Amino acid sequence: MKTIIAACSQNLSGSRASVQTALRTLLAAPWPSQRDVRAWLQLLSVLQWVLSFLLLGTVSLLFLIYLVFTSFWPISALYLAWIIFDWDTPEKGGRRLPCLRRWPVWRHFRDYFPVKLVKTHDLSPSHNYIIGSHPHGILCVGAFCNFVTGSTGFGEMFPGIRPFLTTLAGNFRLPVFREYLMSGGLCPVTRRAIGYLLSKNGTGNAVAIVIGGAAESLSCRPGITTLILKNRKGFVRMALQHGAYLVPSFSFGENDLFRQVVFEEGSWMRSIQQRFQKMMGFAPCVFYGRGLTSVRSRGFLPYARPITTVVGEPVMVPKIEDPSCEMVDMYHEMYIRSLLKLFNENKTKYGLSETDELHIL
Protein backbone atom coordinates (compact mmCIF):
# COMPACT_ATOMS: atom_id res chain seq x y z
CA MET A 1 0.00 0.00 0.00
CA LYS A 2 2.82 2.41 0.87
CA THR A 3 4.38 1.65 -2.50
CA ILE A 4 1.11 2.50 -4.29
CA ILE A 5 0.67 5.76 -2.34
CA ALA A 6 4.25 6.77 -3.07
CA ALA A 7 3.80 6.06 -6.77
CA CYS A 8 0.61 8.12 -6.87
CA SER A 9 2.29 11.00 -5.05
CA GLN A 10 5.16 10.90 -7.50
CA ASN A 11 2.75 10.95 -10.47
CA LEU A 12 0.80 13.89 -8.99
CA SER A 13 4.00 15.81 -8.39
CA GLY A 14 5.08 15.08 -11.94
CA SER A 15 1.69 16.23 -13.30
CA ARG A 16 1.85 19.48 -11.31
CA ALA A 17 5.36 20.07 -12.57
CA SER A 18 4.25 19.45 -16.15
CA VAL A 19 1.33 21.86 -15.77
CA GLN A 20 3.56 24.50 -14.24
CA THR A 21 6.11 24.05 -17.03
CA ALA A 22 3.37 24.37 -19.67
CA LEU A 23 2.03 27.54 -18.02
CA ARG A 24 5.51 29.08 -17.84
CA THR A 25 6.06 28.25 -21.54
CA LEU A 26 2.70 29.80 -22.47
CA LEU A 27 3.37 32.97 -20.50
CA ALA A 28 6.85 33.25 -21.98
CA ALA A 29 5.53 33.00 -25.55
CA PRO A 30 5.28 36.36 -27.33
CA TRP A 31 1.73 37.73 -27.53
CA PRO A 32 0.45 39.07 -30.88
CA SER A 33 1.33 42.71 -31.37
CA GLN A 34 -1.23 45.34 -32.34
CA ARG A 35 0.26 45.27 -35.82
CA ASP A 36 -0.35 41.50 -36.08
CA VAL A 37 -3.93 41.88 -34.86
CA ARG A 38 -4.59 44.63 -37.43
CA ALA A 39 -3.13 42.46 -40.19
CA TRP A 40 -5.40 39.54 -39.23
CA LEU A 41 -8.47 41.78 -39.09
CA GLN A 42 -7.61 43.20 -42.51
CA LEU A 43 -7.17 39.72 -43.96
CA LEU A 44 -10.47 38.50 -42.47
CA SER A 45 -12.32 41.55 -43.80
CA VAL A 46 -11.10 40.83 -47.34
CA LEU A 47 -11.90 37.13 -46.92
CA GLN A 48 -15.53 37.81 -45.95
CA TRP A 49 -15.90 40.19 -48.91
CA VAL A 50 -14.53 37.71 -51.44
CA LEU A 51 -16.64 34.86 -50.05
CA SER A 52 -19.74 37.08 -50.03
CA PHE A 53 -19.37 38.00 -53.69
CA LEU A 54 -18.38 34.54 -54.89
CA LEU A 55 -20.58 32.30 -52.74
CA LEU A 56 -23.34 34.13 -50.85
CA GLY A 57 -25.89 34.09 -53.68
CA THR A 58 -25.27 30.51 -54.76
CA VAL A 59 -25.14 29.10 -51.22
CA SER A 60 -28.33 30.96 -50.24
CA LEU A 61 -30.15 29.64 -53.30
CA LEU A 62 -29.06 26.04 -52.63
CA PHE A 63 -30.00 26.36 -48.95
CA LEU A 64 -33.51 27.62 -49.75
CA ILE A 65 -33.98 24.79 -52.25
CA TYR A 66 -32.89 22.32 -49.57
CA LEU A 67 -35.41 23.76 -47.09
CA VAL A 68 -38.21 23.04 -49.58
CA PHE A 69 -37.74 19.33 -48.89
CA THR A 70 -37.77 19.70 -45.11
CA SER A 71 -40.30 20.74 -42.48
CA PHE A 72 -38.93 24.28 -42.77
CA TRP A 73 -40.32 24.71 -46.31
CA PRO A 74 -42.48 27.74 -45.24
CA ILE A 75 -39.24 29.77 -44.94
CA SER A 76 -38.51 29.23 -48.63
CA ALA A 77 -42.14 29.91 -49.57
CA LEU A 78 -42.23 33.17 -47.60
CA TYR A 79 -38.94 34.36 -49.07
CA LEU A 80 -40.12 33.54 -52.60
CA ALA A 81 -43.26 35.57 -51.95
CA TRP A 82 -41.09 38.44 -50.68
CA ILE A 83 -38.90 38.40 -53.80
CA ILE A 84 -41.99 38.49 -56.05
CA PHE A 85 -43.41 41.40 -54.06
CA ASP A 86 -40.03 43.19 -53.99
CA TRP A 87 -39.02 42.34 -57.58
CA ASP A 88 -38.80 45.91 -58.92
CA THR A 89 -37.05 47.50 -55.94
CA PRO A 90 -33.51 47.13 -57.40
CA GLU A 91 -34.70 49.01 -60.49
CA LYS A 92 -36.07 51.84 -58.36
CA GLY A 93 -33.07 52.97 -56.39
CA GLY A 94 -32.69 49.88 -54.22
CA ARG A 95 -32.76 49.95 -50.43
CA ARG A 96 -29.47 51.30 -49.15
CA LEU A 97 -28.60 51.08 -45.45
CA PRO A 98 -26.24 53.79 -44.19
CA CYS A 99 -25.24 51.61 -41.22
CA LEU A 100 -23.86 48.92 -43.52
CA ARG A 101 -21.89 51.48 -45.53
CA ARG A 102 -20.34 52.64 -42.23
CA TRP A 103 -19.63 49.09 -41.07
CA PRO A 104 -16.21 49.14 -39.25
CA VAL A 105 -15.04 46.10 -41.22
CA TRP A 106 -14.73 48.29 -44.33
CA ARG A 107 -11.97 50.31 -42.68
CA HIS A 108 -9.95 47.13 -42.29
CA PHE A 109 -10.83 46.22 -45.87
CA ARG A 110 -9.54 49.63 -47.06
CA ASP A 111 -6.32 49.36 -45.06
CA TYR A 112 -5.47 45.87 -46.35
CA PHE A 113 -4.46 47.19 -49.81
CA PRO A 114 -4.72 50.18 -48.94
CA VAL A 115 -7.37 51.98 -51.05
CA LYS A 116 -7.27 55.77 -51.42
CA LEU A 117 -9.69 58.20 -53.08
CA VAL A 118 -8.33 61.36 -54.74
CA LYS A 119 -10.54 64.31 -55.67
CA THR A 120 -9.48 66.66 -58.47
CA HIS A 121 -12.68 68.73 -58.96
CA ASP A 122 -15.85 69.51 -57.06
CA LEU A 123 -19.18 67.87 -57.91
CA SER A 124 -22.18 70.14 -57.39
CA PRO A 125 -25.23 68.57 -55.65
CA SER A 126 -27.45 70.45 -58.11
CA HIS A 127 -26.55 68.01 -60.89
CA ASN A 128 -26.61 64.26 -61.48
CA TYR A 129 -23.55 62.37 -62.71
CA ILE A 130 -22.47 59.20 -64.45
CA ILE A 131 -19.03 58.21 -63.17
CA GLY A 132 -17.09 55.97 -65.53
CA SER A 133 -15.02 53.57 -63.43
CA HIS A 134 -11.85 52.18 -65.04
CA PRO A 135 -10.38 49.61 -65.22
CA HIS A 136 -12.60 46.63 -64.39
CA GLY A 137 -9.83 44.41 -63.03
CA ILE A 138 -10.97 41.03 -61.69
CA LEU A 139 -13.31 41.99 -58.82
CA CYS A 140 -13.63 45.82 -59.05
CA VAL A 141 -12.09 46.36 -55.63
CA GLY A 142 -11.46 50.09 -56.11
CA ALA A 143 -14.99 50.80 -57.34
CA PHE A 144 -16.56 48.84 -54.48
CA CYS A 145 -14.44 50.38 -51.73
CA ASN A 146 -14.90 53.97 -52.93
CA PHE A 147 -18.50 54.02 -54.17
CA VAL A 148 -20.18 51.45 -51.89
CA THR A 149 -18.43 51.79 -48.54
CA GLY A 150 -17.81 55.08 -46.79
CA SER A 151 -14.31 54.08 -45.71
CA THR A 152 -12.39 56.30 -48.15
CA GLY A 153 -14.35 59.45 -47.38
CA PHE A 154 -16.44 59.90 -50.53
CA GLY A 155 -19.21 61.62 -48.57
CA GLU A 156 -16.79 64.09 -46.99
CA MET A 157 -14.98 64.85 -50.27
CA PHE A 158 -18.19 65.27 -52.26
CA PRO A 159 -20.84 66.59 -49.83
CA GLY A 160 -24.41 66.24 -51.04
CA ILE A 161 -23.53 63.51 -53.58
CA ARG A 162 -25.04 60.03 -53.22
CA PRO A 163 -22.92 57.37 -54.97
CA PHE A 164 -24.45 54.25 -56.54
CA LEU A 165 -22.45 51.43 -58.10
CA THR A 166 -23.99 49.34 -60.88
CA THR A 167 -23.49 45.62 -61.34
CA LEU A 168 -24.98 42.74 -63.33
CA ALA A 169 -28.78 42.59 -63.15
CA GLY A 170 -28.63 38.82 -62.64
CA ASN A 171 -27.06 39.32 -59.21
CA PHE A 172 -30.34 40.82 -58.00
CA ARG A 173 -32.18 37.58 -58.76
CA LEU A 174 -30.13 35.62 -56.21
CA PRO A 175 -31.77 35.31 -52.76
CA VAL A 176 -30.15 37.10 -49.81
CA PHE A 177 -27.35 38.34 -52.08
CA ARG A 178 -29.75 40.88 -53.60
CA GLU A 179 -30.46 42.31 -50.14
CA TYR A 180 -26.74 42.54 -49.43
CA LEU A 181 -26.11 44.40 -52.69
CA MET A 182 -29.00 46.85 -52.31
CA SER A 183 -28.06 47.67 -48.72
CA GLY A 184 -24.71 48.96 -49.97
CA GLY A 185 -26.21 51.17 -52.66
CA LEU A 186 -25.68 48.89 -55.66
CA CYS A 187 -28.20 48.78 -58.50
CA PRO A 188 -28.53 46.85 -61.79
CA VAL A 189 -26.64 48.16 -64.78
CA THR A 190 -29.85 48.52 -66.81
CA ARG A 191 -31.40 51.50 -68.59
CA ARG A 192 -34.42 51.41 -66.31
CA ALA A 193 -32.42 51.42 -63.06
CA ILE A 194 -29.94 54.08 -64.17
CA GLY A 195 -32.74 56.19 -65.69
CA TYR A 196 -34.65 56.10 -62.40
CA LEU A 197 -31.65 57.37 -60.43
CA LEU A 198 -30.96 60.15 -62.94
CA SER A 199 -34.53 61.37 -63.41
CA LYS A 200 -36.76 60.34 -60.48
CA ASN A 201 -34.46 60.49 -57.48
CA GLY A 202 -33.78 64.21 -57.36
CA THR A 203 -30.30 65.65 -57.89
CA GLY A 204 -26.95 64.85 -56.32
CA ASN A 205 -26.90 61.26 -57.60
CA ALA A 206 -23.65 59.80 -58.94
CA VAL A 207 -24.10 56.49 -60.76
CA ALA A 208 -20.78 54.68 -61.14
CA ILE A 209 -20.57 52.31 -64.12
CA VAL A 210 -17.65 49.95 -64.72
CA ILE A 211 -17.87 50.55 -68.46
CA GLY A 212 -15.43 47.88 -69.65
CA GLY A 213 -17.43 45.16 -67.92
CA ALA A 214 -16.74 41.45 -68.16
CA ALA A 215 -15.03 41.75 -71.55
CA GLU A 216 -12.37 44.00 -70.02
CA SER A 217 -11.65 41.56 -67.18
CA LEU A 218 -10.34 39.04 -69.74
CA SER A 219 -7.44 41.38 -70.55
CA CYS A 220 -6.63 42.25 -66.96
CA ARG A 221 -2.96 41.71 -66.13
CA PRO A 222 -0.29 43.62 -64.18
CA GLY A 223 1.69 46.18 -66.15
CA ILE A 224 -0.81 46.44 -69.02
CA THR A 225 -3.75 48.85 -69.02
CA THR A 226 -6.29 48.03 -71.71
CA LEU A 227 -9.81 49.45 -71.64
CA ILE A 228 -12.86 48.31 -73.62
CA LEU A 229 -14.39 51.68 -74.42
CA LYS A 230 -14.43 52.60 -78.13
CA ASN A 231 -17.78 50.96 -78.84
CA ARG A 232 -19.29 51.44 -75.38
CA LYS A 233 -21.49 54.49 -75.96
CA GLY A 234 -24.71 53.63 -74.17
CA PHE A 235 -23.65 55.47 -71.02
CA VAL A 236 -23.08 58.65 -73.08
CA ARG A 237 -26.52 58.38 -74.65
CA MET A 238 -28.10 58.02 -71.21
CA ALA A 239 -26.13 60.99 -69.92
CA LEU A 240 -27.49 63.12 -72.78
CA GLN A 241 -31.05 61.92 -72.32
CA HIS A 242 -31.01 62.88 -68.63
CA GLY A 243 -28.58 65.79 -68.69
CA ALA A 244 -26.16 64.00 -66.38
CA TYR A 245 -22.54 65.14 -66.39
CA LEU A 246 -19.91 62.56 -67.32
CA VAL A 247 -17.08 62.03 -64.81
CA PRO A 248 -14.06 59.83 -65.57
CA SER A 249 -12.35 57.94 -62.75
CA PHE A 250 -9.35 55.65 -62.82
CA SER A 251 -8.18 53.16 -60.17
CA PHE A 252 -4.40 52.91 -60.39
CA GLY A 253 -3.24 49.52 -59.13
CA GLU A 254 -6.50 47.65 -59.81
CA ASN A 255 -4.87 45.30 -62.30
CA ASP A 256 -2.11 44.34 -59.84
CA LEU A 257 -4.34 42.54 -57.33
CA PHE A 258 -4.43 39.16 -59.09
CA ARG A 259 -2.45 37.12 -61.60
CA GLN A 260 -4.48 35.91 -64.55
CA VAL A 261 -3.87 33.30 -67.21
CA VAL A 262 -4.62 35.37 -70.32
CA PHE A 263 -5.51 33.36 -73.40
CA GLU A 264 -4.61 34.89 -76.74
CA GLU A 265 -7.28 36.16 -79.14
CA GLY A 266 -8.35 33.36 -81.48
CA SER A 267 -7.47 30.52 -79.09
CA TRP A 268 -10.16 27.98 -78.22
CA MET A 269 -10.04 28.89 -74.51
CA ARG A 270 -10.55 32.58 -75.32
CA SER A 271 -13.49 31.62 -77.54
CA ILE A 272 -15.08 29.66 -74.68
CA GLN A 273 -14.63 32.62 -72.32
CA GLN A 274 -16.24 35.03 -74.78
CA ARG A 275 -19.20 32.74 -75.48
CA PHE A 276 -19.75 32.22 -71.76
CA GLN A 277 -19.62 35.98 -71.23
CA LYS A 278 -22.27 36.61 -73.90
CA MET A 279 -24.60 33.98 -72.41
CA MET A 280 -24.13 34.66 -68.69
CA GLY A 281 -23.01 38.30 -68.60
CA PHE A 282 -19.68 37.64 -66.86
CA ALA A 283 -16.41 36.08 -67.96
CA PRO A 284 -14.89 32.95 -66.35
CA CYS A 285 -11.37 34.25 -65.68
CA VAL A 286 -8.58 31.88 -64.71
CA PHE A 287 -6.83 33.85 -61.98
CA TYR A 288 -5.14 33.44 -58.63
CA GLY A 289 -3.96 35.61 -55.76
CA ARG A 290 -2.44 34.94 -52.37
CA GLY A 291 -3.46 32.19 -49.97
CA LEU A 292 -5.04 32.61 -46.55
CA THR A 293 -2.03 31.46 -44.53
CA SER A 294 0.86 33.02 -46.45
CA VAL A 295 1.60 35.69 -49.01
CA ARG A 296 3.81 33.18 -50.83
CA SER A 297 1.03 30.61 -51.22
CA ARG A 298 -1.56 30.75 -54.00
CA GLY A 299 -5.23 31.25 -53.36
CA PHE A 300 -8.23 33.40 -54.21
CA LEU A 301 -7.49 36.44 -52.04
CA PRO A 302 -6.15 39.60 -53.70
CA TYR A 303 -2.58 40.65 -53.13
CA ALA A 304 -2.04 43.66 -50.87
CA ARG A 305 -1.27 46.26 -53.53
CA PRO A 306 -2.15 49.96 -53.17
CA ILE A 307 -5.14 51.22 -55.16
CA THR A 308 -5.60 54.94 -55.78
CA THR A 309 -8.88 55.99 -57.40
CA VAL A 310 -8.68 59.43 -58.97
CA VAL A 311 -11.99 61.15 -59.80
CA GLY A 312 -11.55 63.55 -62.70
CA GLU A 313 -13.14 66.70 -64.06
CA PRO A 314 -16.83 66.50 -65.06
CA VAL A 315 -17.70 66.77 -68.74
CA MET A 316 -20.74 69.07 -68.93
CA VAL A 317 -23.56 67.42 -70.88
CA PRO A 318 -26.79 69.08 -72.09
CA LYS A 319 -30.15 67.37 -71.77
CA ILE A 320 -31.32 66.04 -75.16
CA GLU A 321 -34.18 63.53 -75.08
CA ASP A 322 -33.35 62.02 -78.47
CA PRO A 323 -29.64 62.66 -79.15
CA SER A 324 -28.32 61.94 -82.64
CA CYS A 325 -25.50 59.48 -83.26
CA GLU A 326 -23.22 62.40 -84.11
CA MET A 327 -23.99 64.04 -80.76
CA VAL A 328 -23.31 60.81 -78.90
CA ASP A 329 -20.01 60.35 -80.76
CA MET A 330 -18.94 63.91 -79.97
CA TYR A 331 -19.48 63.59 -76.20
CA HIS A 332 -18.02 60.09 -76.21
CA GLU A 333 -14.84 61.52 -77.73
CA MET A 334 -14.83 64.32 -75.17
CA TYR A 335 -15.10 61.74 -72.40
CA ILE A 336 -12.18 59.71 -73.79
CA ARG A 337 -10.02 62.83 -74.00
CA SER A 338 -10.86 63.71 -70.40
CA LEU A 339 -10.02 60.16 -69.29
CA LEU A 340 -6.69 60.17 -71.12
CA LYS A 341 -5.83 63.52 -69.54
CA LEU A 342 -6.66 62.13 -66.11
CA PHE A 343 -4.51 59.05 -66.71
CA ASN A 344 -1.49 60.90 -68.08
CA GLU A 345 -1.50 63.58 -65.37
CA ASN A 346 -1.58 61.03 -62.54
CA LYS A 347 0.17 57.86 -63.75
CA THR A 348 3.64 58.73 -62.45
CA LYS A 349 2.18 59.71 -59.06
CA TYR A 350 0.61 56.31 -58.46
CA GLY A 351 3.01 53.60 -59.55
CA LEU A 352 3.28 53.86 -63.34
CA SER A 353 6.12 55.18 -65.45
CA GLU A 354 6.11 58.06 -67.90
CA THR A 355 6.21 55.61 -70.82
CA ASP A 356 3.11 53.67 -69.74
CA GLU A 357 0.14 54.20 -72.06
CA LEU A 358 -3.58 53.68 -71.80
CA HIS A 359 -4.79 51.36 -74.57
CA ILE A 360 -8.43 51.87 -75.56
CA LEU A 361 -10.12 49.20 -77.66
Side-chain angles (χ1 to χ4, degrees):
M1 178 63 72
K2 291 180 179 179
T3 303
I4 295 174
I5 293 173
C8 290
S9 299
Q10 186 175 2
N11 288 338
L12 289 173
S13 299
S15 298
R16 283 196 295 270
S18 299
V19 171
Q20 290 173 353
T21 302
L23 286 173
R24 282 196 296 270
T25 303
L26 180 62
L27 292 174
W31 287 87
S33 64
Q34 290 185 351
R35 182 178 179 180
D36 292 333
V37 172
R38 284 197 301 268
W40 292 342
L41 289 174
Q42 291 167 10
L43 190 63
L44 289 174
S45 68
V46 173
L47 175 64
Q48 67 82 25
W49 178 78
V50 172
L51 292 179
S52 296
F53 267 80
L54 295 181
L55 298 177
L56 180 59
T58 303
V59 171
S60 299
L61 177 61
L62 293 176
F63 181 69
L64 289 173
I65 292 174
Y66 166 75
L67 291 182
V68 171
F69 302 98
T70 69
S71 57
F72 296 100
W73 63 266
I75 295 176
S76 297
L78 288 173
Y79 190 78
L80 177 61
W82 163 251
I83 287 183
I84 294 173
F85 173 78
D86 197 52
W87 190 260
D88 288 335
T89 299
E91 304 275 354
K92 296 180 179 179
R95 189 170 41 247
R96 60 198 295 150
L97 297 177
C99 60
L100 186 137
R101 293 170 61 86
R102 295 193 300 266
W103 199 18
V105 73
W106 300 131
R107 294 197 297 270
H108 299 298
F109 179 86
R110 172 201 64 195
D111 294 338
Y112 170 83
F113 298 97
V115 182
K116 181 182 178 182
L117 180 65
V118 175
K119 168 186 172 181
T120 61
H121 292 78
D122 291 329
L123 299 182
S124 171
S126 61
H127 298 287
N128 286 324
Y129 303 90
I130 290 181
I131 300 178
S133 180
H134 310 275
H136 182 285
I138 297 294
L139 293 179
C140 303
V141 173
F144 177 86
C145 192
N146 288 297
F147 303 128
V148 174
T149 79
S151 61
T152 57
F154 185 96
E156 291 74 25
M157 289 187 190
F158 302 101
I161 303 297
R162 294 180 298 275
F164 296 86
L165 180 63
T166 58
T167 185
L168 293 174
N171 289 329
F172 294 89
R173 305 299 177 239
L174 294 172
V176 182
F177 190 44
R178 70 191 294 273
E179 323 298 339
Y180 177 76
L181 294 177
M182 284 193 291
S183 63
L186 283 95
C187 63
V189 61
T190 61
R191 291 183 178 275
R192 183 184 177 193
I194 297 172
Y196 180 91
L197 293 173
L198 297 179
S199 63
K200 298 181 180 179
N201 200 43
T203 59
N205 301 293
V207 182
I209 304 175
V210 186
I211 298 169
E216 193 171 279
S217 67
L218 294 177
S219 301
C220 167
R221 68 178 90 176
I224 299 177
T225 309
T226 302
L227 304 184
I228 307 296
L229 183 56
K230 275 189 178 179
N231 295 320
R232 300 290 174 98
K233 301 179 181 179
F235 73 103
V236 178
R237 183 174 294 277
M238 289 210 68
L240 286 165
Q241 289 173 341
H242 299 283
Y245 289 5
L246 291 168
V247 183
S249 71
F250 195 93
S251 294
F252 294 91
E254 183 74 44
N255 284 351
D256 298 329
L257 304 183
F258 293 96
R259 300 292 182 268
Q260 181 179 188
V261 180
V262 178
F263 301 101
E264 297 298 328
E265 288 289 346
S267 64
W268 65 274
M269 279 299 297
R270 185 72 166 205
S271 176
I272 290 175
Q273 287 178 313
Q274 291 171 341
R275 289 180 182 177
F276 191 92
Q277 175 216 327
K278 290 180 180 179
M279 289 188 297
M280 304 300 294
F282 65 94
C285 301
V286 182
F287 67 91
Y288 65 89
R290 61 157 290 179
L292 182 61
T293 57
S294 170
V295 177
R296 297 179 181 85
S297 62
R298 292 187 178 183
F300 55 88
L301 295 178
Y303 293 108
R305 303 285 188 269
I307 303 172
T308 303
T309 301
V310 184
V311 179
E313 181 180 5
V315 177
M316 297 183 183
V317 176
K319 184 175 181 180
I320 304 173
E321 292 187 5
D322 188 20
S324 64
C325 292
E326 292 77 13
M327 185 69 69
V328 171
D329 290 342
M330 183 181 73
Y331 280 95
H332 184 262
E333 185 61 32
M334 290 172 62
Y335 176 83
I336 290 179
R337 287 200 302 269
S338 181
L339 176 62
L340 288 171
K341 179 184 176 184
L342 175 71
F343 177 82
N344 290 323
E345 288 181 349
N346 292 278
K347 61 183 179 181
T348 57
K349 299 177 184 177
Y350 306 114
L352 300 181
S353 67
E354 190 65 43
T355 56
D356 285 322
E357 296 181 356
L358 187 60
H359 303 281
I360 298 180
L361 302 179

